[in-house]
Amino acid sequence: MYSIGIDIGGTKIAGALVNELGEIITKTQVPSPAHSAEDMELAIVSLITELSAGNPVIAAGVAAAGFIDAAQSTVYYAPNIAWRNEPLKDKLEAKIDLPIVIENDANAAGWAEYRFGAGKSFTHMTMLTIGTGVGGAIIANGELFTGGFGAGAELGHLRVQPDGLECGCGQRGCIEAYASGRALLRYMREETQNPQLEAQEGKKLLEDGDPAAWRAVSTLGGWMGVACASLSAILDPQVFVIGGGVAAAGEHLLNPIRESFLSNVSARGYHPEPEFRIAEMVNDAGVVGAADLARRHAEKL
């Protein structure tokens, strides 16, 4: 039996037919009509219908950026889609004869890493995804943590610098302002003394081994280590999994994270130290996680 995972991005919607081992059988994608809630709903229905045709599918999961309620049903708020208190599960199930689960995209990606990727040998995992912003997911004792209202694990908005840089959430000092892809570009501009440097140029500098570009990565890693030290005191994970585009730096990113973590962690030397790993699922994490969460939900019905 299969399940379907849908991952909604700012420019495209990806869909995949996934088996119980987390393996993708087939996948597809369409442009994302983010301007229209109705068009988005129709696009999701079309993808699920296409992927389920002729296949024994038991459920479908939809992953999207935003706040999802604890029942995995209603989108309270989506920053890049016209959804406000949107009863998405009910709307989709009215058009599709399958159980539907709605989940935050970072949670879905984290679940995929826990089940099939870098976190599969652990029961307590914290994932931080470094993209345009910083996303997060928490696995506690083998369960996905979403909080009392379903909107928990927004780890990108952990405060690391009181009265610090302004964040897109409206507050100041969030780790997203210091360890996101946008922050990395800012550090690169400072290190290269080129205020006009663009993201693709920065990527090329890293590929060429430019020392200034790698110093920028170390700065980002230092801030991420500060965040992980605070998270460790609260969550006590066995492993931190680092995902997102910047994670392609591998050990060049993990080493400064580890160093900063050890400099900032409480009671150093008297507490077991977590592992730090790079995410393995890359671009497939969202669809695989959404599909597996949907399967898990359907098997409990």
Side-chain angles (χ1 to χ4, degrees):
M1 299 295 285
Y2 302 121
S3 55
I4 290 170
I6 304 294
D7 187 12
I8 301 172
T11 60
K12 70 178 187 300
I13 309 173
L17 184 70
V18 181
N19 69 15
E20 67 277 6
L21 300 177
E23 298 167 338
I24 292 178
I25 306 305
T26 184
K27 59 183 178 180
T28 186
Q29 66 180 49
V30 296
S32 178
H35 60 282
S36 167
E38 183 178 356
D39 288 349
M40 182 67 77
E41 179 188 329
L42 292 174
I44 295 168
V45 169
S46 177
L47 275 178
I48 294 174
T49 301
E50 176 186 343
L51 289 165
S52 61
N55 295 304
V57 175
I58 62 171
V62 178
F67 296 150
I68 316 297
D69 72 341
Q72 297 175 303
S73 174
T74 299
V75 182
Y76 289 138
Y77 169 78
N80 302 313
I81 307 169
W83 285 334
R84 302 293 183 269
N85 294 314
E86 184 78 8
L88 187 59
K89 172 184 169 73
D90 290 345
K91 286 190 172 183
L92 294 177
E93 287 185 342
K95 295 180 172 65
I96 301 169
D97 187 23
L98 283 173
I100 302 291
V101 165
I102 314 297
E103 189 52 83
N104 171 270
D105 58 347
N107 285 344
W111 183 256
E113 288 294 337
Y114 163 68
R115 288 276 286 133
F116 309 109
K120 63 185 176 184
S121 58
F122 302 90
T123 54
H124 292 263
M125 181 198 91
T126 297
M127 182 169 171
L128 289 156
T129 303
I130 307 170
T132 304
V134 174
I138 299 166
I139 305 298
N141 201 28
E143 296 290 334
L144 181 66
F145 173 84
T146 57
F149 298 103
E154 288 290 330
L155 304 186
H157 302 292
L158 174 72
R159 304 284 283 281
V160 294
Q161 184 78 345
D163 299 320
L165 296 173
E166 186 174 357
C167 178
C169 73
Q171 297 299 323
R172 290 184 174 274
C174 299
I175 188 59
E176 184 166 298
Y178 293 87
S180 63
R182 286 176 296 208
L184 179 60
L185 182 58
R186 186 174 73 247
Y187 300 146
M188 284 187 174
R189 287 171 173 170
E190 294 169 356
E191 290 286 353
T192 62
Q193 298 182 1
N194 178 6
Q196 306 303 318
L197 185 76
E198 296 298 331
Q200 286 302 314
E201 295 172 307
K203 183 179 179 181
K204 182 64 165 57
L205 289 176
L206 290 173
E207 292 171 350
D208 293 341
D210 183 81
W214 285 112
R215 286 197 299 271
V217 172
S218 291
T219 299
L220 183 150
W223 281 109
M224 187 59 74
V226 171
C228 289
S230 291
L231 290 168
S232 186
I234 300 166
L235 301 171
D236 190 29
Q238 298 157 315
V239 61
F240 282 98
V241 175
I242 310 298
V246 180
E251 290 297 318
H252 290 288
L253 175 63
L254 291 187
N255 284 335
I257 292 177
R258 291 189 189 103
E259 292 172 7
S260 176
F261 173 86
L262 291 174
S263 296
N264 289 279
V265 69
S266 60
R268 179 181 177 181
Y270 298 94
H271 189 286
E273 296 172 6
E275 291 190 31
F276 289 84
R277 295 186 175 186
I278 295 297
E280 297 176 1
M281 304 293 290
V282 196
N283 295 328
D284 292 332
V287 291
V288 171
D292 196 65
L293 285 167
R295 173 189 297 279
R296 188 167 179 260
H297 172 77
E299 289 174 348
K300 290 181 178 179
L301 294 178

